Amino acid sequence: MGFIDEDTIDLGSGNKILILSFNNPESRNSMTREMGLEFKKITEDISQSSDKQKPRSIILTGKNGIFSAGGNFELLKSFSTKDFESNKKTMFEFYNLFLSVRKLDIPVICAANGHAIGAGLSLAFACDIRVFANEGKYQFNFVKLGIHPGMGSSYIVKELFGTHIANRLLFMAEMFNGEEALRIGLCNDSVPQKEVLGRATEIAIALSESAPLALRELKKNTYNNEELTAALKKEAESQARNFISEDFKETIKAIEQKRKPEFKGV
């Protein structure tokens, strides 16, 4: 079973907008290796297609009233039983599956139509333009789980918003809604949940009126993927170290027992 639905909006003259929707209701669209492999296959197919065959833009959204609950719990739990080197390799490979979105040379709009937590929010920020739901809850909860931020968030958030905002979001792990996100400049727009996909579509149509070659060159020159890769390696190493800590074992117990973890710094 696939975890990503594909739909298109026909713009005429052979042009289209591609809509990719995470669809894994059982886990609230949490991010798994299987979903990541499917996502990377889609992005690679787009990258390898001819310029005339590529969509003018992509909208990334979620089904089931949520964007993504972030890292899958069973996947996280499995890391507590593995060694440092294995976890470091796994995390670097895992994050690169989803961050293949940064290698696309066409605009990507995130329509975060519901909650986006942890790695799910990281992926939203890896997109070029973001529309959030007013009612949505957004949070980088990594440190609350006893682990270093991942999915490139330690680099991408600072790249986009500077150290001050990055520290607020990553160190404080504050939860905020779409309206607050818009107020402090984290998204391009925030609308009622039922209007998120429609607003993202309006933006995608507006983008289609610009020259695709110019947009491709702009996308190529906007981001530094070499620095992102270096950051991912540091994140993978830090998370691998966290996964073998007593604090992370306490995280797993606390989630299973539905209580707050009691961290001891070891």
Side-chain angles (χ1 to χ4, degrees):
M1 172 182 125
F3 297 110
I4 302 173
D5 294 348
E6 297 185 51
D7 299 287
T8 58
I9 297 173
D10 186 5
L11 297 172
S13 302
N15 296 315
K16 63 184 178 181
I17 296 166
L18 176 64
I19 303 175
L20 301 178
S21 304
F22 294 132
N23 188 11
N24 189 5
E26 292 182 0
S27 69
R28 304 176 73 229
N29 297 344
S30 65
M31 304 167 90
T32 64
R33 184 173 183 274
E34 291 74 22
M35 180 188 282
L37 288 169
E38 186 177 348
F39 187 73
K40 186 176 183 182
K41 176 65 166 56
I42 293 170
T43 59
E44 286 182 340
D45 286 348
I46 294 169
S47 295
Q48 292 168 8
S49 63
S50 69
D51 290 342
K52 289 186 177 181
Q53 292 177 318
K54 288 178 182 176
R56 297 295 294 272
S57 61
I58 294 172
I59 297 173
L60 182 60
T61 190
K63 294 286 180 73
N64 323 303
I66 189 171
F67 182 67
S68 175
N72 179 269
F73 175 68
E74 292 303 321
L75 178 63
L76 289 174
K77 185 177 179 180
S78 71
F79 295 139
S80 65
T81 65
K82 298 176 182 176
D83 61 41
F84 172 83
E85 290 298 333
S86 173
N87 283 335
K88 182 172 71 170
K89 181 175 183 293
T90 298
M91 294 315 300
F92 182 72
E93 293 175 349
F94 176 76
Y95 287 141
N96 270 298
L97 296 176
F98 289 96
L99 289 175
S100 59
V101 71
R102 286 284 291 248
K103 297 180 180 178
L104 288 169
D105 62 357
I106 54 178
V108 181
I109 304 160
C110 173
N113 57 312
H115 304 339
I117 306 297
L121 184 56
S122 301
L123 182 57
F125 284 141
C127 297
D128 305 302
I129 296 170
R130 287 164 295 285
V131 179
F132 284 176
N134 292 343
E135 313 92 316
K137 300 298 184 184
Y138 306 97
Q139 181 188 31
F140 286 114
N141 63 338
F142 294 103
V143 295
K144 299 287 188 182
L145 299 176
I147 56 176
H148 186 285
M151 193 65 81
S153 57
S154 64
Y155 173 79
I156 291 173
V157 182
K158 186 167 66 173
E159 174 191 46
L160 291 174
F161 311 114
T163 301
H164 175 68
I165 294 296
N167 287 353
R168 174 180 175 180
L169 299 183
L170 299 173
F171 278 76
M172 299 297 294
E174 293 180 358
M175 181 175 284
F176 50 92
N177 62 25
E179 292 174 303
E180 173 68 2
L182 180 61
R183 189 184 71 79
I184 62 177
L186 303 180
C187 60
N188 300 83
D189 205 352
S190 180
V191 297
Q193 184 179 44
K194 63 182 180 180
E195 298 176 17
V196 170
L197 184 57
R199 178 67 184 117
T201 300
E202 290 175 356
I203 294 172
I205 292 172
L207 285 169
S208 71
E209 297 173 358
S210 297
L213 179 59
L215 287 174
R216 284 197 293 271
E217 291 296 317
L218 177 61
K219 181 75 180 273
K220 181 175 67 176
N221 293 328
T222 296
Y223 305 111
N224 190 322
N225 285 323
E226 289 76 16
E227 288 187 3
L228 175 58
T229 298
L232 285 175
K233 290 179 179 178
K234 292 178 181 178
E235 287 184 350
E237 183 172 336
S238 294
Q239 286 194 332
R241 192 174 296 113
N242 295 148
F243 286 142
I244 59 176
S245 70
E246 292 300 316
D247 275 351
F248 186 68
K249 292 177 183 177
E250 166 62 10
T251 292
I252 299 301
K253 290 178 185 178
I255 292 174
E256 292 178 331
Q257 296 171 9
K258 298 184 176 170
R259 60 174 175 81
K260 286 186 177 182
E262 298 179 5
F263 297 128
K264 302 185 184 301
V266 292

